[in-house]
Every structure is written in C-alpha cells, then in structure tokens.
Amino acid sequence: MSKVIIIAEAGVNHNGSIDIAKKLIDAAADAGVDYVKFQTFKADKLVTKSASRANYQDSNTGDKDSQYEMLKKLEISEEMHQDLIHYCESKNIKFLSTAFDLESLTFLKTLGLKLAKIPSGEITNLPYLRAMAKLFPEIILSTGMANMDEIKSAFRVLTENGTKQENITILHCNTEYPTPMEDVNLNAMLDIQKQLNTKIGYSDHTLGIEVPIAAVALGAKVIEKHFTLDRNLPGPDHKASLESGELKAMVTAIRNVEKAISGSGIKEESLSEKKNKPIARKSIIASQNIKKGEVFSEKNISIKRPGTGINPMRWDEILGQEAIKDFQEDDLIELI
C-alpha cells in the first residue's frame, strides 16, 4: 500500500507575513506532513473589484473589505515564494501552492514544481484546465461545489490535453468553512473512484480530525487540511483550520490507520497475538479426580484455561473414551 500523502494547507493563513508563513512551515514540518501548501494569485487576475465575499469570509474577518481588497492583502510576492521554497528545503518538507489564475500557474511552473493542485473554484475554467494539463505532469483536482458531470468534464479536459490518467488524483471536497458534518457525503469519494477509475482523496473543511481519518480508512490516497497557528487570528480561513497540536494528532492518527488497513486481508493469527493464544483459549481438563480406565463424561471433564491441551472442539470425540492414566482435578486431559 502506498503512503497517504498529507497536505497541510497553510493557504492564506500567513496573513501576508513572511514570518507567519515560515512559522506555519515549522508547524507543518513538526507535524510530519508531506507538503505544506500556500496559495498563489494576483487579485487583479482573480476577482472583479465589485465581487462580493462569501458569508464565512464576512463572519471570519470582521472587516468591511471587498473580496478584492481582502485578497490583495493576502498575495505572496515572487520573492516570498522563493524564500518559502528554500525554507521548506531547510525543514525537509515539500512546498506546494495552488494557482488561481493563468499568470500564477505559469509562475509556479518556473519554480520547478512537478505537482499542481486545481482548486475547486477552477474546475469549470476551461483555459486554466488546458494550461494545467500542459504545464504539470501530476495533478490533484479538488471538486468542491461540483457535480459528477462537471468532474467528468474537467477530467476529460486534462486527459485530452496530455495528463496521464494515472497521474491525476481527484479530491472529494465541500466548499463551506466549516463544513457541516451532514454535508460531508464521504461516500461520494468512492463514487468518483468507481466512475473515473482514478486515485481519490479528500480535502477537508470540517472542524476536527475525524473525517479525514475516516477518508483514509475508505481508501483516500491524499488528504488536505487547513491549519493555522491560532484560530483567533484575523482572516477568512483561520476559524475552520486546525491548530498545530491538532494537525500533529491528525497525522499520527492517519499513519496509524494506514498501518491498520495495510494487512493481507486474510483472517489469520497475527504475530503479536500468537503468544496470547495458549493463555486466552481453553483446553479439556479433569473437573474431578479421574482413575485410569474411567470413562470420560460430562460429569468428570470440563473446559478451562490454558489452551495448551486438547482443543475443546474435540469435546464429542473425548466423551466416552477411557482415561489412559490417573488425572487429578484441573489436570489437562491427555490421549495416547
């Protein structure tokens, strides 16, 4: 079984600060994730000046900025990208970023990235999808707000423009921050796999760590989860993000689940439990003193631990046989 890829989504939780961004990298590296992911965009290319904000952005930021003004403050410069990549290398963690416009997509290619992530909002952006397929050999496609027909269309654009099917991972996702549990619909991840025969994963916006762990148990190969240094920081995504200790707990749980589902699938005794078998199982024993030649009956034999003697499944076979020697009470019954 291949290792589940865990992406810690720093996103815009750096609040425009290189120092906070580096602290997020520190936290992700300490948690043991595979990638720390940011967001690359030019507000001028991403949103109109008059575009409204989502309700969660209004409630989480507490300011009156437009969506454009909010995003403008959260841009990462090209120089900051270079700095963050070098910092990730020093921390032995992989850098990843999601581009939200064509210019940013091309820029990420110049940074030498081989893996790219398509955010949910771009799943119907045909020019973007075509460019993505031509620029990056490995692609993760997030599917928040999408139906199956839209997912299939995006998948077809990618494969028709050069992306190999085996190099695409499709993430089930719900684009609400936080996502209500009743809207998770985790089985839809399995439907995506069934219909498109591709690798699957899950991008999580619920509170807590239960759902991504469940997704791994169901077969997710990629998990993405927002995280922050402090949920009380100002910004649109902090309140629906894990804090550092929670991120580490999620990683630990996922790695444990990986081990738990990586067995042969054949029901048999494991190496760790083998030693307990003679202790926990039972044998046929003498329930009272038995003389040599006496016939075994339900009155003079019984079943008790340990399991080092005759298997109780042979009970009917033992009844009616003669004792080959004297047995004291609680002795294990023996045959020739």
Side-chain angles (χ1 to χ4, degrees):
M1 174 181 169
S2 59
K3 177 184 174 184
V4 173
I5 295 172
I6 303 176
I7 301 171
E9 168 73 77
V12 295
N13 284 345
H14 51 77
N15 287 4
S17 165
I18 188 69
D19 290 334
I20 293 177
K22 288 182 177 179
K23 289 178 181 177
L24 285 164
I25 292 171
D26 289 338
D30 182 60
V33 303
D34 301 288
Y35 289 87
V36 59
K37 187 171 80 65
F38 294 90
Q39 295 180 6
T40 303
F41 57 83
K42 297 291 186 183
D44 293 327
K45 306 288 185 182
L46 175 57
V47 63
T48 64
K49 301 289 197 305
S50 60
S52 59
R53 299 198 303 191
N55 289 337
Y56 80 87
Q57 292 174 333
D58 284 335
S59 60
N60 290 350
T61 57
D63 59 43
K64 300 298 183 183
D65 288 346
S66 66
Q67 185 178 173
Y68 172 82
E69 291 168 331
M70 176 189 73
L71 293 172
K72 192 68 178 173
K73 296 175 183 177
L74 298 172
E75 291 180 354
I76 304 177
S77 69
E78 293 185 4
E79 293 75 17
M80 287 175 68
H81 277 81
Q82 297 283 3
D83 194 0
L84 293 177
I85 288 174
H86 292 318
Y87 194 73
C88 283
E89 290 172 350
S90 73
K91 294 294 179 177
N92 198 31
I93 188 172
K94 296 175 184 177
F95 174 91
L96 191 61
S97 189
T98 299
F100 285 79
D101 57 81
L102 287 172
E103 183 179 315
S104 296
L105 195 61
T106 303
F107 170 65
L108 289 181
K109 178 66 175 180
T110 68
L111 296 176
L113 301 185
K114 299 290 190 291
L115 173 65
K117 163 89 186 303
I118 300 172
S120 294
E122 307 306 319
I123 197 168
T124 57
N125 187 339
L126 181 57
Y128 177 99
L129 295 172
R130 284 174 175 159
M132 175 69 78
K134 292 171 182 175
L135 289 171
F136 294 93
E138 294 184 61
I139 294 174
I140 296 172
L141 172 64
S142 204
T143 61
M145 305 171 290
N147 58 41
M148 186 56 71
D149 286 341
E150 290 171 327
I151 296 169
K152 287 180 177 178
S153 293
F155 185 73
R156 186 165 53 251
V157 172
L158 294 175
T159 55
E160 287 177 353
N161 284 274
T163 309
K164 294 180 180 179
Q165 180 169 333
E166 60 267 27
N167 290 340
I168 300 174
T169 303
I170 300 181
L171 305 188
H172 175 51
C173 176
N174 181 287
T175 307
E176 173 64 318
Y177 303 81
T179 296
M181 287 295 181
E182 58 270 21
D183 284 351
V184 170
N185 191 20
L186 200 54
N187 284 328
M189 180 182 72
L190 302 180
D191 189 47
I192 292 170
Q193 183 182 44
K194 180 180 178 181
Q195 294 206 40
L196 291 174
N197 190 30
T198 187
K199 289 179 288 187
I200 52 170
Y202 176 63
S203 179
D204 186 50
H205 299 135
T206 64
L207 298 176
I209 64 175
E210 303 98 319
V211 181
I213 295 167
V216 171
L218 287 175
K221 301 302 182 187
V222 175
I223 291 294
E224 179 182 71
K225 183 74 172 178
H226 281 263
F227 78 109
T228 179
L229 300 176
D230 185 348
R231 270 192 292 271
N232 294 315
L233 287 171
D237 295 342
H238 292 285
K239 285 183 170 56
S241 301
L242 297 180
E243 293 185 346
S244 301
E246 295 167 316
L247 179 65
K248 183 180 288 189
M250 185 191 78
V251 172
T252 299
I254 286 173
R255 296 306 179 213
N256 285 338
V257 169
E258 277 186 296
K259 294 175 184 176
I261 63 177
S262 64
S264 67
I266 299 169
K267 181 56 185 170
E268 58 188 351
E269 67 180 23
S270 70
L271 290 175
S272 64
E273 71 180 349
K274 189 173 184 178
K275 63 184 182 300
N276 297 323
K277 193 173 180 179
I279 298 171
R281 289 196 173 179
K282 295 179 178 177
S283 303
I284 299 175
I285 59 97
S287 59
Q288 62 186 41
N289 293 341
I290 300 173
K291 295 293 186 181
K292 180 179 179 181
E294 192 174 341
V295 174
F296 294 132
S297 70
E298 292 185 355
K299 294 181 179 179
N300 60 15
I301 61 173
S302 185
I303 297 170
K304 290 184 182 181
R305 290 176 177 175
T308 54
I310 295 174
N311 190 324
M313 291 297 286
R314 297 175 64 188
W315 179 261
D316 291 345
E317 175 190 341
I318 300 303
L319 290 176
Q321 293 201 42
E322 294 183 357
I324 61 170
K325 66 175 187 178
D326 291 346
F327 293 97
Q328 300 297 312
E329 183 179 352
D330 273 354
D331 280 354
L332 296 176
I333 295 299
E334 299 174 28
L335 298 177
I336 296 175

